[in-house]
Amino acid sequence: MALPGCPSAVLFGAAGVKCALPNSGTQNLRSPARGLARSVPQGFLIQPSALKANDLHNARFTLGTAAFALALVNTGRTRRKFQPARRAIASCNASAPRMGVVALPPIEARCCNSGDVVAEQMPANAKVVWHFRHGHSTGNEAKAAARAADKGTGLLVHDEEYRANETLADAPLTEEGKKQALDAQQRLAEWQVKPELVVSSSLTRAIQTAAIMFEEHLLAGTMQLVIRPELREVHPDVHENSGRPVEELRKSPDLTGLPCYRQVMAALADDEAADWRADWDEQWARGSNGAWQAHVSDPQRLVDFQTWIAERSETRIATVSHWGTINNIMNREPWTEGLDREQVRDSWGPDATWPVGGIVRKFSLPNCGWVAVPLCEI
């Protein structure tokens, strides 16, 4: 049974599977890999990444009782043979479960899918995670102006000026960005399932967005705000992605004027920031001699964050970060294994910052948009 838009998709069921594999005809698949079946919610898309290479050629594949879809997505490019990709997700310590996004829920081109649906369909012991992008920033504004000025010239003069502009350091929200966050706040009010933990990047525009979007719940004490530097943006050659030391953040008018300023200050308190503040203040925020760029470029921080979030006890977690950060994290998850990757553009920063081979999917998140996914034990 094919799925719309997935020419090679098939429907799995308790009785086994009929699967049309490229250049191989129709095969019956059964396997002892029951753990995978238990971890995948009904109606979700499982990529070939979740299956080992031999599984796709073996004759026995038991999938349990829940029906779910396997999307063998036709990318329009020459497809590799089904071979395991190198896993690029965090290895949690022995006391914490290894968790990851094994399956993507249905996600439209502009994202903003329903966390209520994810929570309803995800398996036991899973978490629902919303990855939010910050609102429109002064950096976004400057970038758009530079691109418009360069359009049709064949040159990148204005783009290079934008990237090198140190006055854009730690770019805050524009008035448009604040309105976007308020609009998102109204949309969140309609949700049945809401985050209990909100984790923000340590850059001002993300903290502002989190504080505005979740203002009511932060003030009421039904959500906790945590700030983590691992979630900063991933482009090291753009000065808007440098940060500010904690004491400067505490005194910033961009933050002190927020209605939930006290909750933001609590997240920036010495005890809450104890495990990262020294490095952030001295090196990572805007350290000289390439120090802050090195932290931006370091993919280990994203792997560390995946471990951190897996170890948290909360089961409903929202992150508020950046377009590049979200795309980088999402393309490190297990659902990507075995799928074709495309090398990222030069403007996205060094290849080493991104998963090996590039990305499987670009998540086109608008400002204050999000993608909701199930984080399952693997």
Side-chain angles (χ1 to χ4, degrees):
M1 177 177 176
L3 298 175
C6 298
S8 301
V10 295
L11 184 68
F12 281 72
V17 106
K18 290 282 186 180
C19 178
L21 295 176
N23 304 319
S24 63
T26 299
Q27 302 180 20
N28 286 315
L29 301 181
R30 285 188 172 274
S31 162
R34 297 182 178 86
L36 174 63
R38 287 197 299 271
S39 70
V40 180
Q42 182 174 356
F44 276 44
L45 296 179
I46 278 285
Q47 306 294 353
S49 56
L51 308 175
K52 299 187 186 306
N54 290 339
D55 290 333
L56 292 168
H57 301 289
N58 289 342
R60 293 301 189 199
F61 213 104
T62 301
L63 294 171
T65 58
F68 58 88
L70 167 63
L72 302 178
V73 180
N74 182 355
T75 64
R77 302 185 303 276
T78 302
R79 180 173 295 281
R80 298 193 306 259
K81 293 294 184 182
F82 292 108
Q83 52 188 333
R86 278 177 282 183
R87 188 176 295 261
I89 62 173
S91 297
C92 300
N93 64 37
S95 64
R98 294 183 62 202
M99 305 191 79
V101 180
V102 177
L104 284 185
I107 299 173
E108 300 295 331
R110 296 287 283 174
C111 301
C112 300
N113 60 308
S114 172
D116 291 347
V117 172
V118 172
E120 179 182 354
Q121 297 184 342
M122 70 185 188
N125 301 320
K127 305 181 181 189
V128 57
V129 176
W130 298 263
H131 290 298
F132 285 86
R133 184 189 178 193
H134 63 78
H136 186 261
S137 70
T138 57
N140 294 148
E141 189 173 58
K143 181 178 182 179
R147 286 183 171 180
D150 284 335
K151 187 175 181 179
T153 68
L155 301 173
L156 296 174
V157 174
H158 294 88
D159 181 74
E160 291 172 359
E161 290 176 353
Y162 145 72
R163 291 174 178 274
N165 189 347
E166 295 186 17
T167 67
L168 292 173
D170 195 19
L173 296 183
T174 61
E175 290 304 314
E176 179 185 354
K178 295 174 186 177
K179 184 180 182 302
Q180 290 170 337
L182 285 170
D183 290 343
Q185 182 188 106
Q186 297 304 310
R187 296 181 68 178
L188 300 180
E190 301 172 359
W191 292 3
Q192 297 299 310
V193 178
K194 296 180 173 66
E196 54 190 317
L197 179 68
V198 179
V199 190
S200 173
S201 155
S202 49
L203 297 183
T204 295
R205 56 192 181 273
I207 300 173
Q208 287 176 289
T209 302
I212 296 171
M213 284 199 306
F214 300 105
E215 176 183 301
E216 177 183 349
H217 299 280
L218 292 172
L219 288 172
T222 56
M223 292 182 189
Q224 178 190 0
L225 176 65
V226 173
I227 295 172
R228 299 299 309 181
E230 296 94 334
L231 286 175
R232 74 184 308 170
E233 184 58 291
V234 299
H235 310 302
D237 60 338
V238 184
H239 271 279
E240 68 172 288
N241 296 327
S242 62
R244 286 185 277 184
V246 168
E247 194 58 34
E248 287 189 25
L249 287 172
R250 290 171 177 170
K251 296 177 181 178
S252 168
D254 295 315
L255 302 182
T256 57
L258 293 166
C260 54
Y261 167 71
R262 292 181 182 275
Q263 286 72 23
V264 172
M265 292 305 102
L268 289 170
D270 290 343
D271 55 341
E272 290 296 323
D275 67 326
W276 58 267
R277 182 183 176 183
D279 287 327
W280 177 260
D281 286 353
E282 296 169 13
Q283 299 290 329
W284 297 344
R286 61 179 185 214
S288 59
N289 299 318
W292 73 264
Q293 292 94 336
H295 186 246
V296 169
S297 302
D298 184 7
Q300 184 60 43
R301 64 182 173 88
L302 301 174
V303 176
D304 291 343
F305 182 75
Q306 289 175 303
T307 302
W308 184 89
I309 203 170
E311 293 175 346
R312 295 291 302 197
S313 61
E314 296 87 355
T315 59
R316 304 186 309 278
I317 302 174
T319 75
V320 183
S321 63
H322 311 269
W323 190 95
T325 303
I326 297 169
N327 272 275
N328 203 315
I329 288 175
M330 287 296 297
N331 279 279
R332 291 178 182 277
E333 297 288 359
W335 71 270
T336 63
E337 291 180 23
L339 295 179
D340 291 336
R341 292 182 179 269
E342 289 185 348
Q343 204 61 260
V344 299
R345 301 173 186 172
D346 291 342
S347 61
W348 291 12
D351 289 344
T353 303
W354 293 84
V356 175
I359 63 172
V360 173
R361 173 174 175 173
K362 181 174 74 173
F363 294 86
S364 300
L365 292 153
N367 290 114
C368 287
W370 69 86
V371 56
V373 292
L375 202 65
C376 304
E377 293 184 10
I378 54 177

